[in-house]
Every structure is written in structure tokens, then in C-alpha cells.
């Protein structure tokens, strides 16, 4: 996630923040792992990055990895 953020210019970071309804400062904290994205913010980031950063990467505690299958007890 940090790598994705670091590839963006300041203008692109600001534009992404605006599109997802956040600030570039807060997104910087999210992408660097200092803050957690909320449920809807994680979905918006995945949509706006075209899957470059997934909601599962941002919040694995909320969004299970789609390739992981649950085992029956």
C-alpha cells in the first residue's frame, strides 16, 4: 500500500483524497499503516485505485481474502 501511495504525485494524492471524501494527510496515514480505513473508505479506495489497493489489504479484519476458503468444523 505504501508503495502505491509513493508512486502518486502530490496532485494525484490530493485528487484521490478528494474522490474518496478524505484528506491527503489522512490517506497518507492509512497507506503507511498508522491509521485504519473505515468500512466505506476502504471500498472507495479500492474503487478509485481500480484495485491497485484492495479493501482486503486495507482492512483484512473486515474483508476476508476472496481466495481464502472457510473450512467446515
Amino acid at each position: 500500500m505504501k508503495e502505491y501511495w509513493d508512486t502518486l504525485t502530490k496532485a494525484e494524492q490530493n485528487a484521490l483524497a478528494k474522490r474518496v471524501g478524505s484528506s491527503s494527510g489522512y490517506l497518507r496515514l492509512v497507506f503507511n499503516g498508522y491509521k485504519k480505513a473505515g468500512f466505506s473508505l476502504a471500498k472507495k479506495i479500492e474503487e478509485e485505485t481500480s484495485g491497485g489497493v484492495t479493501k482486503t489489504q486495507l482492512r483484512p479484519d473486515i474483508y476476508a481474502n476472496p481466495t481464502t476458503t472457510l473450512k467446515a468444523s
Side-chain angles (χ1 to χ4, degrees), residues 32-51:
N32 284 289
Y34 296 110
K35 294 281 185 181
K36 288 186 177 184
F39 178 83
S40 61
L41 180 58
K43 284 177 63 173
K44 288 177 186 176
I45 291 171
E46 181 178 59
E47 291 168 5
E48 291 298 329
T49 63
S50 300

Side-chain angles (χ1 to χ4, degrees), residues 5 10-25 27 41 44-45 48:
W5 183 253
K10 295 294 180 197
E12 291 170 331
Q13 291 172 352
N14 289 331
L16 175 61
K18 186 174 182 177
R19 290 193 312 269
V20 300
S22 188
S23 69
S24 59
L27 288 187
L41 180 58
K44 288 177 186 176
I45 291 171
E48 291 298 329

Side-chain angles (χ1 to χ4, degrees), residues 1 7-8 10 15 26 29 35 40 43 46 52 61 67 72-73:
M1 293 182 308
T7 65
L8 302 177
K10 295 294 180 197
Y26 188 77
L29 294 173
K35 294 281 185 181
S40 61
K43 284 177 63 173
E46 181 178 59
D61 57 323
T67 59
S73 304

